[in-house]
Each structure stands twice: as structure tokens, then as C-alpha cells.
Amino acid sequence: MAMKRVFRKVVCIVLLLGVLGCSLLPVTNFSAQPVFAQSQTYFAPLALKALEVTAYPLAVTENTEASITFTLRDITSASTPTAIAPDSLVTVMVGNYTTTGTVETDGKTSVTLPPEVVTGSRLVGVVIVPGYQRMVFSLIVKPMQLKDNALTVPERSPLELELQIGRSWCRVNDKPTKLPVAPYLREGRTMVPVRFFAEVLGYTVDYDFSDPAMKKVMIYTPDNVSNAAMDEKQQPEKNNRPFITLFIDQTTVIIGGISVEMDTTPELVRGTTMVPLRFVAQTLGYYVDWMPPLVKLTSSF
């Protein structure tokens, strides 16, 4: 009996110590909290839409204020081009000069270039519209004609070309002329042989296919010809940087040192470089008029 009483006392002491120990522990209130899985969302950058820029006029007079009207179209869908929405902001940069405007009806906006900007023989500018790829435009700068200059050379008549999709014959100033490859449509774009249209206006075309992955087509202005087309004595006196550099099967094009993207790649057809008509023709200085089934090109100089 004595052993049982001792055992009971020991058990009671242990239980008492256990109760006292629990009461001395800090009490923490735990509330039910919803636990959410942490995840990070990545947003891919929005693809910029394709912009078409048509400038008018394409020729300006040096050291003279020039008012330029741009027609801006969304050509992301080649089959259904649309005018840029009214009130859209437009930024125009020519060299170090920057000006802005807003789109009015029919996708048109106008800017004025001061006389000090209108210099050299070619002006290359950039048009920027939010949400669109930047696009370049090119203007031909004609020398100022002084009234008392007895040596003034009369301006030549504009050159006119008429062509038709699928026909290898075109008319140059009403004279029938055969094209190396007939114009054709590709993804809604009219493709034409670039060398023919460049050389008719006095440009020189050169090629560098030494790198099969970077086949270059270089176009030089009449006052800036390539090494291949110059006499060796003339080369040091000329800046032989091409005015336009195209890359076969690539959308990148360099105009006046500015790199932009075309929506259609140049391609070789039977050894002839074919390019999108409107983009390249306007850069060379042609006004383009669509008069189905004809396309009429008129030179601006």
C-alpha cells in the first residue's frame, strides 16, 4: 500500500508540473489566413503595326522653307489599308530638326521645314506614330535658281512610266520598253525590278553577294555613284556611301544611313532584284498613281 501511495504521488507531481509548464508558455493566436500561390505574369511586347508614309511634294528647293504634307496609312493588312486615326500624334525628324503635328482627316498631316534644314541634294527624315514602326521619307533638294543667273539651266520635263501587273512591256515617256521581269503581286504588294526604275532616273545600282546570308543591293544617287561606276581618279573626290541599301530576303533597308523595316522583302527572280513598288519608287523620287489596270509613275525631278 505504501508503494502505491508513493506511485500516485509521483504521478500527481508529474501531471502538476505538466499543467504548470503549459500555462507558462506564451499563447499565440493563429487565425486562418488564405494562402495564395505566387505567380509572375509575363507580357510579350505588342507588335508594332506597319506604317506607310507618302510625302508631297517629293522635291523641294534648297535654302527655302518647305511645307510637306504626309498621307499616313496603316498597312498591317495589305488587303485593307486604312488611314491613321485623326488626332494621332506625329513626330517628324530631319537631321537634328524635330517637329510634331496631329493627323487630320484622311490620315493627312502637314509640317514645315525651315530653310536651314533644306540643304544638300537629298533629305531623309523619319516619321514616328505611336504604336507603329517608324518609317522614312526622302525628298530631293533642287538647287535654287537665281533670276539674274545667265547660266540657269531649264528644268527637264518629268519622266513618266506606265506599267501593268503581269505585263513585261511598259511605257517610258510613251516609248514601249521591255522589263526584265513583269511586275507581279506578292502578299498584296506590287513587285517591280528595282534596277530598271533606278537607272531610268540616273541612279546607279551595284551588288555585293559575297556573303550568301547578306546579299546587298546598293543604289547610288546620280551625284554619288559607286566605286564600280567611277573612274579611279574620281573616287577620292566622291562619297561612295549608297543612298539605299536593300538586303535580299530581309525586311531591313537602309536609306540615307537610317535603318527601317519594310513589310515585304526584296527577292531574286531569274537574277533580277524585285522590290515593293510604292516604297522604293517614292524613295527614288517617283509619284505613284494607281489607275487600274495601270500604275503610273512620274518623276519629281
Side-chain angles (χ1 to χ4, degrees):
M1 293 294 291
M3 290 298 294
K4 289 184 178 180
R5 286 197 295 269
V6 172
F7 178 75
R8 289 174 182 172
K9 289 181 179 179
V10 171
V11 172
C12 290
I13 292 172
V14 171
L15 292 175
L16 179 61
L17 290 175
V19 171
L20 291 174
C22 291
S23 64
L24 293 175
L25 290 175
V27 178
T28 303
N29 292 324
F30 294 95
S31 59
Q33 296 285 343
V35 178
F36 298 97
Q38 298 295 319
S39 62
Q40 188 172 1
T41 303
Y42 294 93
F43 295 95
L46 295 176
L48 297 177
K49 293 180 283 188
L51 176 67
E52 178 187 83
V53 175
T54 301
Y56 184 88
L58 291 174
V60 294
T61 303
E62 66 174 345
N63 300 321
T64 303
E65 185 178 271
S67 179
I68 310 298
T69 297
F70 296 100
T71 302
L72 310 175
R73 297 201 306 171
D74 182 333
I75 56 170
T76 306
S77 173
S79 59
T80 56
T82 57
I84 299 299
D87 298 325
S88 297
L89 177 66
V90 180
T91 301
V92 177
M93 296 186 296
V94 180
N96 294 324
Y97 178 77
T98 300
T99 185
T100 59
T102 54
V103 177
E104 300 174 357
T105 57
D106 299 326
K108 296 183 183 296
T109 188
S110 297
V111 300
T112 299
L113 303 180
E116 60 270 21
V117 173
V118 188
T119 59
S121 61
R122 296 290 189 284
L123 283 181
V124 177
V126 178
V127 175
I128 300 174
V129 178
Y132 290 85
Q133 296 176 350
R134 69 174 189 168
M135 189 49 63
V136 299
F137 65 94
S138 172
L139 304 177
I140 294 167
V141 181
K142 299 186 294 185
M144 181 183 294
Q145 299 290 348
L146 301 178
K147 294 181 180 179
D148 57 350
N149 187 354
L151 299 178
T152 298
V153 178
E155 293 187 3
R156 63 181 180 181
S157 300
L159 187 71
E160 293 186 352
L161 289 85
E162 290 184 357
L163 57 92
Q164 192 168 344
I165 304 298
R167 294 194 176 183
S168 57
W169 285 89
C170 70
R171 301 186 73 85
V172 181
N173 284 345
D174 256 349
K175 179 181 178 181
T177 306
K178 186 173 176 54
L179 298 170
V181 176
Y184 59 88
L185 289 175
R186 194 188 95 188
E187 298 176 354
R189 302 285 181 261
T190 301
M191 306 293 287
V192 296
V194 65
R195 182 166 196 159
F196 175 84
F197 290 96
E199 292 183 343
V200 164
L201 284 180
Y203 292 85
T204 301
V205 181
D206 201 1
Y207 302 89
D208 181 0
F209 289 178
S210 57
D211 182 354
M214 190 69 69
K215 296 180 179 179
K216 296 190 292 186
V217 180
M218 299 160 290
I219 303 175
Y220 298 82
T221 61
D223 55 334
N224 181 18
V225 296
S226 69
N227 285 338
M230 287 192 298
D231 183 88
E232 292 182 359
K233 296 180 180 179
Q234 294 177 305
Q235 290 183 20
E237 302 175 3
K238 292 283 186 178
N239 171 18
N240 64 340
R241 187 176 67 179
F243 175 52
I244 303 174
T245 302
L246 301 158
F247 301 89
I248 301 298
D249 296 327
Q250 297 186 36
T251 57
T252 300
V253 57
I254 302 173
I255 302 174
I258 301 174
S259 175
V260 293
E261 299 295 319
M262 295 190 297
D263 63 331
T264 303
T265 60
E267 62 183 359
L268 290 174
V269 177
R270 301 198 300 274
T272 298
T273 303
M274 306 296 287
V275 298
L277 169 64
R278 182 182 288 275
F279 179 84
V280 175
Q282 289 177 346
T283 304
L284 292 175
Y286 285 104
Y287 295 108
V288 181
D289 293 315
W290 302 88
M291 302 180 297
L294 299 176
V295 181
K296 182 178 180 180
L297 288 79
T298 306
S299 66
S300 59
F301 66 101

